[in-house]
Amino acid sequence: MGDVLTDLEVLKLGALCDELVDGVISADRHAELQQWLLDDEAARRHYVKVMALSASLHDYAGEFESEEGGEAMVEFADRGESTRWPWRARLSLAAALVASLFLGMLLLGQRSDNKMRVTSIAQDDGVAVLTRASGLQWVEGATRYRPGDRIPVGEVKIAAGTVQIEFYSGATVILEGPAHLDIRSANEAFCHFGKVRGNVPPQAVGFTVKTPDYDLVDLGTEFGISVDENGSSEVHVFDGEVELRSVGKTTKALSEGEAMRLGGSEPGEAIDMDPALFPQSSLLDDVDGSRAESRFQRWKTFSKELKNDPSLIAYYTFEPERSWDRVLHNQGQSEEPGLNGAIVGAKWTSGRWPGKQALDFKSPADRVRLILPGEFKALTYAAWVRIDGMDRLWSSLLLTDDWKPGSPHWQFERTGEMILGVLGKEGNQNYYSDREIGFNDLGRWMFLATVFDPEKLEVRHLIDGRLVSRVDIVNLDKRLPLKFGAMEMGNYNPPGKRGPSNIRNFNGRIDEFMLFNRALNDEELNEIFQVGRPDAATQK
């Protein structure tokens, strides 16, 4: 590495920096940039210069001054003058780049403590995904998974019930408890004991299930394996062909309609094939359907009662009268016409249960426009959401158009923190949760709630009925009334503002939304969660 970058190196480094600023840099490209900056002083100097001149970073800094961030973290000169970072900012950046071997994308964020926060690019360490479950009971101390959770290499231990696991290779297994399955890769698992029914399409030929005595190599079949805790086992082939490879390297083929009982290293006796001994996908369908219908009906009953709560200003059940409805009707106590939301872009789709509706927010155009006049002291936000992506610095749940004293903003950050921001007379205050929303939460239904309680001088954040953070209200006059006015669910429409930090469209689905003008206690919110949870038997 030289003291000066070549023209080709300048172009290459500039491209990497642009990808980093735009938030589209891949893991491989980011690792390349990180290593380059660690090894080359000239690259580090050029990096600081490029980032200081970045118009995108200037937009971020301006946003932090005007709203969530308070004072800007990095001071920029006027656009007409030469721009240079202060030495403190440059040293902080250099330290973060050189000292952190796990550095991910730089996200310029601002909390009340005015500290730079650094987050890593989310990596999918899964090799399979749990797609369905019925009557599931986990072994005490075992890692617990919910439908939609990615499963990394490791053990799956269930005391009772049935789970369906889809491997990234394309193979699907249905595991019936009690069972102990050791997932070793996207194409291999070890069954210590339990019943396994496998379906292996052509894309996953070679999928292997190992047992204490032999390996079953699938050649494109549907099969069943039953392994007792004493080590004896049975193999049944329902379709296609498998190979049994024993510890002694003996290989035996079994074809459709054949079955065998084994108890040692050598193949054992032939037995009658019986598909009824093993869990079937159709049974999961029947059980899931009946239980989901029961939970759906229970929620409907509870929802009718909830509508009578006088503090429930706005309540959206996302149950349109017609599939083409473009109005989200308020079923809460307020009669303000502006609370009948105008749906823009967002499309109707399926919600938590079969038959339950939801709105799908994907495009930066998708939103629900609302107007709520008046002043409020305490607030409780609550919503059932399915987050499909955290591809914005901030993602809107409910944001007011204006950012004036008393304006509240409910959103979450790409780092996994829920945020309630309130602009006070002396400046903004952001009340962050801990980093509770993670990569493994993508694609699953979650119950999010935030309580603004001026009497207790605290903001509480809850996820799935569980208190995750309690934040003191400081530097904010508790007598300051909260005001909404024009606002948007799932998006942000700041008057006269542009730039990437103002693009905050939510990526996911919402199928229930509540706004109370009082501070609900944790027990009340947990009750709402328990009634509304989509699968009470499998949630953590």
Side-chain angles (χ1 to χ4, degrees):
M1 300 291 182
D3 294 333
V4 179
L5 297 176
T6 66
D7 291 344
L8 184 60
E9 288 173 331
V10 168
L11 291 174
K12 183 177 180 180
L13 182 56
L16 289 169
C17 291
D18 288 343
E19 292 174 19
L20 178 65
V21 169
D22 291 338
V24 297
I25 193 168
S26 68
D28 289 341
R29 296 271 288 172
H30 185 270
E32 178 185 358
L33 173 61
Q34 175 182 306
Q35 193 60 49
W36 193 355
L37 296 174
L38 287 171
D39 295 341
D40 192 351
E41 173 62 25
R44 289 195 292 273
R45 289 197 304 267
H46 188 77
Y47 177 89
V48 171
K49 179 180 178 181
V50 169
M51 298 299 275
L53 292 173
S54 166
S56 293
L57 286 180
H58 190 281
D59 284 334
Y60 277 133
E63 173 69 9
F64 298 140
E65 286 186 357
S66 63
E67 187 188 321
E68 276 82 354
E71 297 179 359
M73 185 170 51
V74 179
E75 297 181 358
F76 292 89
D78 293 336
R79 292 180 182 267
E81 302 174 358
S82 61
T83 308
R84 183 175 180 83
W85 277 18
W87 275 105
R88 179 177 298 177
R90 295 170 68 184
L91 290 174
S92 296
L93 176 61
L97 291 169
V98 176
S100 177
L101 294 178
F102 56 86
L103 178 67
M105 287 193 301
L106 287 176
L107 300 177
L108 291 182
Q110 185 75 25
R111 289 182 130 186
S112 57
D113 56 7
N114 291 327
K115 292 181 179 179
M116 177 183 288
R117 287 174 290 148
V118 179
T119 63
S120 61
I121 298 174
Q123 300 291 332
D124 183 4
D125 59 354
V127 296
V129 57
L130 192 153
T131 51
R132 294 192 295 171
S134 176
L136 184 57
Q137 296 179 26
W138 293 97
V139 171
E140 185 176 354
T143 301
R144 299 174 177 233
Y145 299 100
R146 297 164 291 205
D149 280 357
R150 299 159 186 84
I151 304 177
V153 170
E155 297 178 319
V156 175
K157 297 181 178 181
I158 61 174
T162 307
V163 296
Q164 179 172 295
I165 299 172
E166 298 178 4
F167 288 75
Y168 285 9
S169 62
T172 297
V173 302
I174 300 176
L175 183 65
E176 182 179 87
H180 177 188
L181 188 71
D182 187 0
I183 295 178
R184 296 185 171 178
S185 74
N187 211 42
E188 181 181 306
F190 188 103
C191 181
H192 295 273
F193 62 87
K195 290 184 178 180
V196 176
R197 188 182 191 115
N199 186 287
V200 179
Q203 298 88 341
V205 166
F207 180 78
T208 301
V209 177
K210 296 188 173 185
T211 74
D213 293 326
Y214 60 88
D215 301 345
L216 182 150
V217 181
D218 192 282
L219 304 179
T221 69
E222 184 176 2
F223 64 88
I225 292 179
S226 176
V227 181
D228 294 337
E229 294 190 56
N230 62 16
S232 63
S233 64
E234 295 182 6
V235 176
H236 296 240
V237 181
F238 312 132
D239 184 33
E241 185 178 0
V242 301
E243 284 184 353
L244 300 181
R245 300 175 182 175
S246 68
V247 175
K249 305 303 181 184
T250 302
T251 299
K252 180 174 179 59
L254 287 182
S255 299
E256 178 180 346
E258 295 184 317
M260 185 163 287
R261 180 178 294 116
L262 303 102
S265 60
E266 296 298 327
E269 62 176 320
I271 57 175
D272 292 335
M273 189 269 289
D274 187 359
L277 294 176
F278 298 89
Q280 300 182 48
S281 180
S282 61
L283 294 178
L284 275 174
D285 289 338
D286 294 340
V287 173
D288 286 350
S290 61
R291 289 184 175 178
E293 177 63 24
S294 175
R295 289 190 296 271
F296 190 18
Q297 293 303 322
R298 182 186 175 199
W299 170 80
K300 284 184 175 181
T301 301
F302 182 81
S303 177
K304 289 180 181 179
E305 298 173 354
L306 185 63
K307 294 173 187 177
N308 296 321
D309 187 326
S311 69
L312 185 58
I313 312 167
Y315 183 37
Y316 304 100
T317 61
F318 292 79
E319 294 291 290
E321 296 179 3
R322 298 171 298 273
S323 61
W324 59 86
D325 275 355
R326 305 310 290 167
V327 176
L328 187 62
H329 294 281
N330 176 34
Q331 299 184 47
Q333 293 294 305
S334 176
E335 297 182 356
E336 294 291 343
L339 286 178
N340 290 317
I343 301 171
V344 180
K347 297 177 175 59
W348 289 108
T349 186
S350 57
R352 282 169 282 168
W353 303 287
K356 176 78 177 71
Q357 296 294 295
L359 276 179
D360 192 20
F361 298 80
K362 282 292 182 288
S363 164
D366 297 348
R367 63 196 69 208
V368 177
R369 293 289 298 165
L370 302 159
I371 300 175
L372 176 58
E375 299 181 349
F376 306 91
K377 294 182 179 180
L379 290 174
T380 297
Y381 300 83
W384 276 100
V385 305
R386 195 188 84 174
I387 301 172
D388 293 335
M390 301 170 70
D391 41 11
R392 303 296 182 195
L393 180 57
W394 294 300
S395 295
S396 166
L397 293 169
L398 189 67
L399 295 186
T400 61
D401 290 359
D402 289 326
W403 186 240
K404 298 177 180 179
S407 295
H409 277 191
W410 192 39
Q411 57 193 326
F412 61 88
E413 190 162 334
R414 184 159 49 191
T415 52
E417 298 147 303
M418 295 169 60
I419 313 167
L420 180 63
V422 179
L423 184 61
K425 295 179 180 179
E426 303 300 326
N428 68 286
Q429 298 296 322
N430 290 320
Y431 304 100
Y432 286 78
S433 75
D434 294 336
R435 296 181 180 181
E436 292 287 339
I437 303 173
F439 185 63
N440 288 332
D441 290 313
L442 299 184
R444 79 172 184 89
W445 284 100
M446 307 172 65
F447 183 63
L448 306 182
T450 295
V451 181
F452 182 86
D453 190 339
E455 295 304 317
K456 293 184 177 180
L457 291 175
E458 65 182 17
V459 170
R460 300 192 305 279
H461 297 286
L462 297 90
I463 297 179
D464 289 347
R466 176 177 59 91
L467 179 67
V468 298
S469 297
R470 189 190 306 271
V471 189
D472 292 336
I473 295 176
V474 295
N475 300 324
L476 187 68
D477 187 347
K478 73 174 185 177
R479 296 169 297 179
L480 178 71
L482 302 179
K483 303 176 183 178
F484 290 92
M487 57 184 175
E488 293 191 340
M489 182 189 301
N491 219 315
Y492 184 36
N493 187 40
K497 291 186 179 181
R498 295 293 183 268
S501 60
N502 291 313
I503 300 176
R504 305 188 189 184
N505 61 292
F506 172 69
N507 181 357
R509 301 180 184 184
I510 305 176
D511 81 346
E512 189 175 10
F513 197 105
M514 293 156 264
L515 181 64
F516 298 82
N517 64 3
R518 66 181 177 93
L520 270 66
N521 60 46
D522 296 353
E523 290 74 20
E524 290 174 301
L525 288 168
N526 186 56
E527 181 184 13
I528 296 173
F529 162 68
Q530 293 296 342
V531 172
R533 62 195 303 178
D535 190 347
T538 59
Q539 293 282 347
K540 286 183 179 178

